[in-house]
Amino acid sequence: MTAMRYLLIVALVLGGGCRPEPIPHNPSRGGIGAKHVDHDIDTTQQKAPADSIVVKNDGSTLDLAPTWDKHRALVVFYLGGWCPHCKRQLESLQQYQKDISDLDAVIIGISVDKPEDAKALHDKLKLNFELYSDPDLAVITKWGVADVGQHIAFPATFIVEPGGTISFRKVGTSPTDRPSIEEIIAALKNTQ
């Protein structure tokens, strides 16, 4: 075997011979400079923002805070309907929606998508939970998960207990960095 062929084989084996997964295109990109998010901060036992006003699919506004006054909430921030990883996560949540509901939690999805785009995604995926719009990053910023330079939320998942205490937090560092459905169910069971 020639030295060149040997080096090529070693490079393929060590490099896996694979290209990294491409990052999805964000059609909402805007702004300048990304806001730094400390992904390792433990915000458990902190309170969810008191005023989390989002836009419903019909264009009206809704304050989500009363939801966690009385109920547990699984709050999921996703990049947008254009993101294949987000769609898979939402489909997984839909598949386990009954299990999540049986653990006394409601699912809330939030992105910068326009209300009509959130509705289209909701209908396409046949979701039994609501997707809300935060086009100005107001709520996303209050939760500390805004990527201002990309004009999106980092993929993030929170469990909010009745009364507003955050008992679980996972903020992703890439489009694929999200808790599995098993992690979410386990976290809901552990905080019940």
Side-chain angles (χ1 to χ4, degrees), residues 45-124:
Q45 305 310 311
Q46 291 185 7
K47 293 283 188 176
D51 54 338
S52 292
I53 300 172
V54 292
V55 181
K56 295 169 42 175
N57 293 339
D58 66 3
S60 63
T61 59
L62 173 71
D63 187 356
L64 295 172
T67 303
W68 48 81
D69 278 346
K70 299 175 183 166
H71 303 284
R72 296 172 89 197
L74 176 62
V75 182
V76 177
F77 293 94
Y78 64 101
L79 284 65
W82 50 269
C83 170
H85 311 293
C86 301
K87 289 178 191 175
R88 281 193 294 274
Q89 181 185 34
L90 295 171
E91 288 171 330
S92 181
L93 290 170
Q94 175 59 38
Q95 183 179 354
Y96 287 89
Q97 190 269 334
K98 182 175 179 343
D99 298 298
I100 293 167
S101 179
D102 289 347
L103 291 166
D104 299 321
V106 295
I107 304 168
I108 297 169
I110 302 170
S111 76
V112 297
D113 281 351
K114 295 176 183 172
E116 57 271 17
D117 294 334
K119 181 179 181 348
L121 180 62
H122 175 274
D123 294 348
K124 179 180 179 181

Side-chain angles (χ1 to χ4, degrees), residues 5-182:
R5 178 179 258 169
Y6 176 77
L7 288 174
L8 179 60
I9 292 170
V10 169
L12 287 172
V13 169
L14 292 178
C18 299
R19 286 186 266 176
E21 186 172 317
I23 296 175
H25 170 70
N26 173 8
S28 301
R29 186 175 181 180
I32 53 170
K35 177 181 177 188
H36 173 73
V37 173
D38 188 345
H39 298 275
D40 297 321
I41 281 181
D42 179 13
T43 60
T44 57
Q45 305 310 311
Q46 291 185 7
K47 293 283 188 176
D51 54 338
S52 292
I53 300 172
V54 292
V55 181
K56 295 169 42 175
N57 293 339
D58 66 3
S60 63
T61 59
L62 173 71
D63 187 356
L64 295 172
T67 303
W68 48 81
D69 278 346
K70 299 175 183 166
H71 303 284
R72 296 172 89 197
L74 176 62
V75 182
V76 177
F77 293 94
Y78 64 101
L79 284 65
W82 50 269
C83 170
H85 311 293
C86 301
K87 289 178 191 175
R88 281 193 294 274
Q89 181 185 34
L90 295 171
E91 288 171 330
S92 181
L93 290 170
Q94 175 59 38
Q95 183 179 354
Y96 287 89
Q97 190 269 334
K98 182 175 179 343
D99 298 298
I100 293 167
S101 179
D102 289 347
L103 291 166
D104 299 321
V106 295
I107 304 168
I108 297 169
I110 302 170
S111 76
V112 297
D113 281 351
K114 295 176 183 172
E116 57 271 17
D117 294 334
K119 181 179 181 348
L121 180 62
H122 175 274
D123 294 348
K124 179 180 179 181
L125 299 179
K126 299 177 180 159
L127 301 177
N128 291 331
F129 56 90
E130 294 303 321
L131 299 179
Y132 297 103
S133 181
D134 182 25
D136 299 324
L137 295 172
V139 171
I140 293 167
T141 300
K142 285 180 186 178
W143 283 76
V145 297
D147 182 345
V148 177
Q150 297 295 319
H151 193 76
I152 55 175
F154 285 101
T157 304
F158 295 84
I159 295 174
V160 184
E161 300 299 326
T165 300
I166 297 171
S167 63
F168 175 86
R169 173 189 192 257
K170 167 68 176 163
V171 179
T173 57
S174 72
T176 59
D177 186 12
R178 302 155 190 271
S180 68
I181 194 67
E182 293 81 13

